[in-house]
Amino acid sequence: MSTSSSGVLVLLGAPLGNPEDASPRVASELARADVIAAEDTRRLQRLLGELGVTARATITSYFEGNEAGKTDSLIEQLYDGKRVAVITDGGMPSVSDPGYRLVRAAIDAGIEVTAAPGPSAVTTALALSGLPCDRFSFEGFAPRKEGERRRLFAALAEDRRTMVFFESPRRIADTLRAMAEAFGEDRAAALCRELTKTYEDVRRGGLGELAEGAQADPPRGEITLVIEGWSGPDPEDATPEALAAAVAALEAAGTDRKAAMKEVATRFGVPRREVYNALINTTG
């Protein structure tokens, strides 16, 4: 619950590139704010000009490098009854952008927090990818260190949800190669770059193909990756009866038992010992 004398913290969804994507409410909030905390003040000034907005606010920079130091000052201004708007270079504050620290501090202080929602690179890329959108996870930027990145991808390899990542042009080729190794060369993916901008581009294909393309023709600009979730067998389907029946079907088709057991283990995603036990328990 907000205090009666405190101000309001407003999170503004900024255009990813095309200023026409800014909502009328975003323009209205920029015009009425007492303080605007902007990730890039020069980009903010350009957006104000494109929207035809004259801001009466005090404008201050608020980016990753000074976020910790400026949060207390912004909270004090909120306590004084100011309406503080937070805007990043594109998309919603807090989503892999500055804002979370201030939102958390405002909530803890009992200050009202609201948002003027707007464009999101995550959902825009997801919709453009052509991959399933019913369940997805947003993973942000992959770790820079190779070992940490490898461990993350190994943990996600059998996640059935579509995954969305951000990545920089400098690391995209290495990241795609690491993904191809962890998820498989043929795992479907979409590399979306410069969304809503003049040179918007969406590359679709298997991870191996996209990795080769990024190596030969490095993409530039802001990149959002969408990766298909794992579509392997559901462990619940690997009943002893199903495993034994699958082995029997392969043997009937001429496959020897050892090769059949190996193929069934791979198909159902279970250890070969489990297939062996299923045969023992069902056939005696």
Side-chain angles (χ1 to χ4, degrees):
M1 181 178 295
S2 63
T3 58
S4 59
S5 60
S6 65
V8 180
L9 177 63
V10 188
L11 308 177
L12 305 183
L16 303 178
N18 191 329
E20 294 180 7
D21 292 335
S23 71
R25 187 178 166 207
V26 166
S28 174
E29 290 290 351
L30 288 170
R32 70 184 293 206
D34 299 305
V35 178
I36 301 175
E39 184 177 12
D40 185 330
T41 57
R42 291 171 299 181
R43 185 170 293 195
L44 170 63
Q45 293 291 357
R46 185 164 64 249
L47 179 62
L48 291 172
E50 290 166 335
L51 299 180
V53 171
T54 300
R56 63 181 181 85
T58 299
I59 297 175
T60 184
S61 65
Y62 190 68
F63 58 95
E64 183 179 1
N66 69 5
E67 188 176 2
K70 286 205 171 180
T71 294
D72 288 346
S73 171
L74 291 171
I75 291 294
E76 289 178 7
Q77 293 180 79
L78 286 161
Y79 269 135
D80 289 340
K82 304 288 188 181
R83 191 174 189 86
V84 177
V86 179
I87 189 166
T88 62
D89 292 348
M92 287 299 297
S94 296
V95 183
S96 283
D97 274 331
Y100 170 77
R101 189 189 300 267
L102 181 57
V103 170
R104 186 67 261 170
I107 292 171
D108 291 343
I111 294 168
E112 180 182 353
V113 181
T114 188
S120 166
V122 176
T123 53
T124 300
L126 186 65
L128 290 175
S129 70
L131 296 172
C133 303
D134 52 337
R135 297 180 65 233
F136 70 93
S137 66
F138 173 57
E139 302 296 335
F141 285 90
R144 296 187 180 190
K145 294 183 178 179
E146 182 179 352
E148 294 177 4
R149 185 173 57 199
R150 187 185 304 112
R151 285 190 290 274
L152 173 65
F153 293 164
L156 293 173
E158 294 186 3
D159 192 325
R160 294 182 180 275
R161 298 170 296 176
T162 299
M163 295 168 281
V164 183
F165 292 83
F166 289 160
E167 193 51 280
S168 77
R170 296 189 306 276
R171 296 191 299 272
I172 186 60
D174 290 340
T175 295
L176 284 169
R177 176 46 54 195
M179 286 178 168
E181 293 173 358
F183 303 152
E185 298 272 336
D186 296 328
R187 180 79 70 95
L191 188 160
C192 308
R193 57 175 293 273
E194 295 293 87
L195 290 170
T196 79
K197 300 177 184 177
T198 302
Y199 297 104
E200 176 180 287
D201 178 40
V202 180
R203 305 179 186 181
R204 302 177 182 87
L207 283 169
E209 176 187 355
L210 291 178
E212 291 178 4
Q215 188 68 45
D217 180 20
R220 299 179 181 179
E222 297 180 350
I223 296 171
T224 305
L225 282 173
V226 186
I227 315 297
E228 181 182 34
W230 186 62
S231 58
D234 190 327
E236 293 183 0
D237 295 334
T239 62
E241 294 76 15
L243 296 175
V247 171
L250 288 171
E251 287 183 310
T255 304
D256 69 75
R257 172 159 289 201
K258 184 176 180 180
M261 289 172 59
K262 180 179 179 181
E263 182 174 336
V264 169
T266 300
R267 184 192 308 170
F268 282 85
V270 299
R272 270 184 282 181
R273 169 61 62 178
E274 190 169 334
V275 179
Y276 174 79
N277 290 337
L279 291 172
I280 296 298
N281 294 332
T282 57
T283 61

